[in-house]
Amino acid sequence: MRDIVFTRASGWIPNVIREDGELKLMLGAGADANHSPREFTFPIGEAHLAVVREDLGRHLLLWSAVLPLCDAAGTRGRLDEDAAVALLDPVLLAAPADVDALFGRIPWARGRLIAHGADIGLLERGQVCAAMRAATETSDEKRAQEHHANRRRAERGVVLGPLDTALLKYTGQYVHGATIPRRLPDAVDPTLLPEVMRVLATAERACAGLRIGRDPRRGKRATDKRDWGRMETAVDAAVRRAHPDIADDAVRTVSFLMCSEAADRSRDTPLEDDEETTGDPGEDPRTRKTVLSFTDDKGVEKKWRADSGRTASAEFWEFVGDRSAGDNEVFTIEDEELGEGIQLHFYADSAARVMTVRKGRGGTDPEYRVEYSLIDGIGGYRTLVSAYVRGGWAALDRHGSWLPDAAGLERARRRRDGRSGS
């Protein structure tokens, strides 16, 4: 039998219950293996209940002191009731100076007190009882999160000025640096918003004309890391040059915003028809492929025909985006009629072009000519695919340093990577 004896407006502040005739403090804290809040109880006395009823500050201090014990219990362990009970008199009944001294020795949940209005300056000076005079039953979680973020920055030696803070709040990254940035002008002090917009204008000019393309090797919505790096470098340099007093954290949040927006635009755009956008106007249209077969390393095949309504490059890269995975990184484009094709090795940044020199007859195996080339990123692969679907084997001559065997490819790879090898 459980009855609630005392509770506050906030459901998370510990309640006092009577269970089987015994007074207990009950609180929800931590989480179990299913991520549901755990419930803990431990016995208290009538004198403790009287203080909990009358003194919000002491009630919150007790909560703050007990929470580390709940964390120590983990997802399924038992609360150390002896340790919890041992906190009752020192937190609830001792003189303020003794409580302050206690909190200088034990772990406690600072964020809980700050969320409930504790004076941060007094807390920092170790005057926890005085800090709780400003306490409220309702909580402001954002206040605690911002304080925690500032403490993390201070540990890194970061000091933010008003404009730095405004930029981080504008992008929504003031509290959580890993949050995908957005544009939140209402989060900024109106007096600082014009200055924030001037910084953003600098960044937008720096990345004008740059784009972040798709990288189907990493999935349907993945973007090109190299493009991201180029845009990030351009924005960083421009902002630092025009606004030299801005902190590194603020510069990073601006470049992150620009890159994220560019990446989103790319993800929302269908895969490009590369041979149309990058083709040479002087090329003979008769060299363009009309029927091609796409295959992956798992044996899945897709046919493309010129009358399908989409270009070969677009359909091939869509096929890659759908099928590419950590164990599926070899893709082939083949012209079965001519007996030629290209094979892309995403795991090795290389490719091979294959031509049938002699077809197999009378039980003999066909003879192939195979040449290899290193490829520089997704841009290099796009160029290669585009050239092949426009002009076949011959069109690849100027799009790679084609080597006659795999051993030559490995030597070229070692030279590129600065490694020695025979």
Side-chain angles (χ1 to χ4, degrees), residues 159-169 174 188-189 192 195-196:
V159 178
L160 298 180
L163 179 57
D164 304 320
T165 299
L167 286 164
L168 287 164
K169 288 187 174 182
Y174 183 68
V188 178
D189 182 338
L192 286 170
E195 200 168 352
V196 167

Side-chain angles (χ1 to χ4, degrees), residues 114-134:
I114 292 172
H116 281 271
D119 184 300
I120 294 173
L122 292 173
L123 284 182
E124 297 290 349
R125 293 195 291 273
Q127 298 173 259
V128 295
C129 286
M132 299 312 294
R133 293 180 190 137

Side-chain angles (χ1 to χ4, degrees), residues 29-317:
D32 61 20
N34 296 319
H35 307 290
S36 298
R38 296 198 66 192
E39 183 181 277
F40 299 96
T41 63
F42 61 94
I44 67 170
E46 293 288 349
H48 306 130
L49 171 59
V51 175
V52 165
R53 282 184 186 276
E54 300 300 325
D55 193 330
L56 171 63
R58 294 283 183 128
H59 191 179
L60 294 171
L61 285 170
L62 178 62
W63 186 22
S64 173
V66 172
L67 280 173
L69 298 177
C70 299
D71 292 339
T75 59
R76 60 178 63 186
R78 293 175 61 85
L79 176 69
D80 186 342
E81 285 194 9
D82 291 340
V85 170
L87 290 169
L88 291 171
D89 286 357
V91 174
L92 297 179
L93 305 179
D98 294 332
V99 176
D100 291 347
L102 173 70
F103 273 69
R105 300 190 303 269
I106 65 170
W108 49 285
R110 182 186 305 267
R112 286 298 85 227
L113 303 184
I114 292 172
H116 281 271
D119 184 300
I120 294 173
L122 292 173
L123 284 182
E124 297 290 349
R125 293 195 291 273
Q127 298 173 259
V128 295
C129 286
M132 299 312 294
R133 293 180 190 137
T136 61
E137 287 197 23
T138 57
S139 67
D140 181 351
E141 296 302 322
K142 184 178 179 182
R143 183 174 190 254
Q145 291 168 354
E146 289 186 355
H147 175 72
H148 182 60
N150 283 329
R151 283 178 64 88
R152 291 201 312 269
R153 279 189 279 266
E155 290 168 358
R156 293 189 286 117
V158 174
V159 178
L160 298 180
L163 179 57
D164 304 320
T165 299
L167 286 164
L168 287 164
K169 288 187 174 182
Y170 182 91
T171 61
Q173 291 199 296
Y174 183 68
V175 173
H176 300 295
T179 302
I180 295 174
R182 303 169 308 220
R183 294 183 183 246
L184 303 169
D186 291 344
V188 178
D189 182 338
T191 62
L192 286 170
L193 187 57
E195 200 168 352
V196 167
M197 300 312 295
R198 282 193 290 273
V199 175
L200 293 175
T202 299
E204 288 163 349
R205 287 193 296 271
C207 60
L210 299 177
R211 62 185 293 275
I212 296 180
R214 301 273 287 280
D215 188 349
R217 298 174 300 174
R218 297 169 44 233
K220 293 188 70 170
R221 292 179 58 78
T223 51
D224 187 347
K225 290 182 178 179
R226 291 191 181 187
D227 285 351
W228 184 294
R230 279 190 288 268
M231 183 176 290
E232 183 178 53
T233 298
V235 173
D236 279 10
V239 171
R240 292 180 194 279
R241 186 168 54 249
H243 309 277
D245 295 330
I246 293 180
D248 289 348
D249 284 24
V251 174
R252 280 193 292 269
T253 200
V254 172
S255 61
F256 193 7
L257 176 66
M258 296 296 116
C259 292
S260 294
E261 290 180 339
D264 283 343
R265 289 192 293 271
S266 177
R267 292 187 187 102
D268 293 336
T269 302
L271 286 166
E272 303 89 343
D273 289 342
D274 294 310
E275 66 269 24
E276 293 184 355
T277 59
T278 63
D280 183 347
E283 288 179 348
D284 187 345
R286 291 173 297 180
T287 65
R288 288 179 179 261
K289 299 295 185 181
T290 57
V291 180
L292 291 170
S293 174
F294 308 148
T295 56
D296 66 4
D297 210 21
K298 301 291 187 180
V300 174
E301 181 178 13
K302 180 179 182 180
K303 291 285 188 181
W304 170 83
R305 290 177 171 78
D307 61 0
S308 68
R310 296 189 68 195
T311 59
S313 285
E315 288 213 11
F316 172 71
W317 288 118

Side-chain angles (χ1 to χ4, degrees), residues 347-350 374 406-422:
Y347 67 93
D349 293 326
S350 64
L374 293 174
L409 178 71
E410 182 57 28
R411 288 193 292 271
R413 190 191 315 282
R414 289 179 176 273
R415 287 194 297 270
R416 184 196 63 185
D417 296 344
R419 295 179 290 162
S420 61
S422 58

